[in-house]
Amino acid sequence: MTTAETTETAVQSAAAPSPFPPIAEYAFLSNCHTGALVAPDGAIDWLCVPSFDSPSVFGSLLDRQAGFFRFAPYDVNHPTARTYEPGTNVLETTWKVPNGWVVVRDALTMGPRSGTDTVTPHTRPPADDDGDHMLVRTVECIDGNVEIELNCEPAFDYGREPVEWAMVGDGANAAQATGGGQSVRLVTDLGLGIEGNRVRGRHVLRTGEKAFCALTWADGFEAPATVEEANERLDTTCRFWRSWLSRARIPDHRWRDPVQRAALTIKGLTYMPTGATVAALTTSLPETPGGERNWDYRYTWMRDTTFTLHALHWLNLDWEADEFMQFVADVEATEDGSLQIMYGIDGRRDLTESTRDDMSGYAGAKPVRIGNGAFDQKQNDVFGAVLDSILQHTQESDRLPRRLWPIVQSQADCATRVWQNPDQGIWEARGAPKHYVSSKLMGWVALDRAAKLADIRGDADLNRTWRATADEIKEDILAKGLRADRVLRQHYETEALDASTLLAPIFGFLPGEDERMRASVLAVANELTEDGFVLRYRTEETDDGLSGKEGTFLICSFWLVSAYAIVGELQPARDLMERLLRISSPLGLYAEEFDAATGRFLGNFPQAFSHLALIEAAARIIVPEMLKGY
């Protein structure tokens, strides 16, 4: 084989040189309506307005020509320090340049609610605070003199729509970009000039001097007019996040900070108008470097409900938990009465998938997908996730809301009807349907929780009926879902393992001291890991309809921490938890996957599931440690 052929067929490394920053190097901003990713060089490389699943205005994350917005020292790309202002999602970046030092603050701002939100209409009762629908950035020179550059180059509709700029007002401090039926306005105290499809400004700041810019899509293009007003909006945003975090119950433990950052991230991925939570901020960040395992995660998965409720209730954030449950209660069921596996954050059912073949993809990973073709798959685990959530919510609130009981009945009936059928499984495999053990397990969860809810409601007949079906499902799993070594398998026709079986101890399928639980947990730890981190499954053993290898899944590694703790292996749980905390991004965030060979993140970012599982895993260790006085 020639050198050229070898290079052509070589597997792409996650750490290969690339113009795209490593996923872990991005900072996450949120106003609970949409989110932004800030690259280390100070550029906004991802922002969709006005909501998480809107088309991108800045899309350089997926194509270096799809728009960005930089506000930073001219001709310097590597900052000295980046951190969140404590207890917030407000970013502070410190820059050292040859002649001085500056500090930049960035936020999607939040503030006291004023009137009705017509930009992203609410279906939930309005809160005291809400998103301002603007991105605010300030800079202060703290020593010497520094030349600051503002470079705003939007590209609407994922880079497809050309932008037309026009100056606003009599001066040179505001400009408006229009294209694809969208408009955003840039306001600043720097002098601006239009250069084709971008607006630029440059100014030298000296010690003690400040400047600002704001990108707004608010009603009337409301924006700060001075740097003092801009800093006040940033300070108000800090107060919002700290006030919100003060309501959370976070123990005084060595893992307090990562739990707080996970909580702030989950809140930041919440869509305030409806109470939904997006699975991740992004679309099409690759699970395989340069490969095709690229999905749009800007939607709400029903299976996330139970993990979201676990985390929110453990943190004592019952208001957010109730908001999410009301979103679930509002969504429209399918024709057979079942809930879809995922919905749009506004509750829409149709998430038809398309590809943007004109975009290069992150580091060449194609296709770039908009929408998610798995939305109409049949995945039998969804019923268990929903009913476990309703039981949690009922136990926390000491009442079963009247509007939730019809959902209990319909989802229990659906689970009863389909649990014996094959499906696509929890990982949404695009291969042939199988009798996945995790799907059967969640069918058992559905009927077990439904029986308990019927008992709470005082319906003895339904309690007996649903309990009998739950027992039947458990017997089926124990008869067909165990290998000869008494370990839970991926599906009934294989000896392969699947990390989703770690849900068995987490959902209480069998007691933690049961040898089958212990054997299943240890088998995953010994046979389904790379460098100690857990794979979903081995792609060479599983027909998922796709090519290429994938990284270890962070949620699965956090599940292993929880499962270790449940079966009594507390020290291995601590050891793995410490390793997982050490691989967080420099700002304490997690993507979907971790490439153990290179130490790089893979997949969409930040990933809600990873942060939810972190909170669950931490709780499994913190509670017994505190009970023992550690």
Side-chain angles (χ1 to χ4, degrees), residues 6 13 60 63 88 134 158 191-192 256 284 289 357 368 374 397 433 447 459 477 525 586 593:
T6 303
S13 168
S60 288
D63 189 306
T88 79
M134 67 183 75
Y158 308 103
L192 296 176
R256 181 182 181 90
S284 302
D357 299 329
V368 171
S397 62
L447 276 302
D459 193 325
I477 294 171
E593 298 183 25

Side-chain angles (χ1 to χ4, degrees), residues 601-624:
F601 280 167
L602 295 169
N604 286 307
F605 176 83
Q607 176 85 359
F609 235 164
S610 299
H611 295 85
L612 290 167
L614 182 156
I615 295 169
E616 163 93 14
R620 297 283 183 178
I621 298 172
I622 290 173
V623 171

Side-chain angles (χ1 to χ4, degrees), residues 66 72 86 118 131 140 167 169 181 183 223 255 297 304 315 348 356 366 394 406 448 573 592 627:
T118 61
E140 178 179 5
M167 300 304 296
S183 293
W255 297 337
Y297 276 11
D304 289 9
L315 294 170
R348 70 186 186 280
R356 291 302 316 274
K366 300 181 77 169
T394 299
D448 176 79
E592 183 176 23
L627 289 174

Side-chain angles (χ1 to χ4, degrees), residues 165-169 171-176 185-188 190 192 194 199:
W165 281 100
M167 300 304 296
V168 177
N173 302 114
Q176 188 157 312
R185 183 175 293 180
L186 178 67
V187 179
T188 179
L190 303 185
L192 296 176
I194 298 173
V199 162

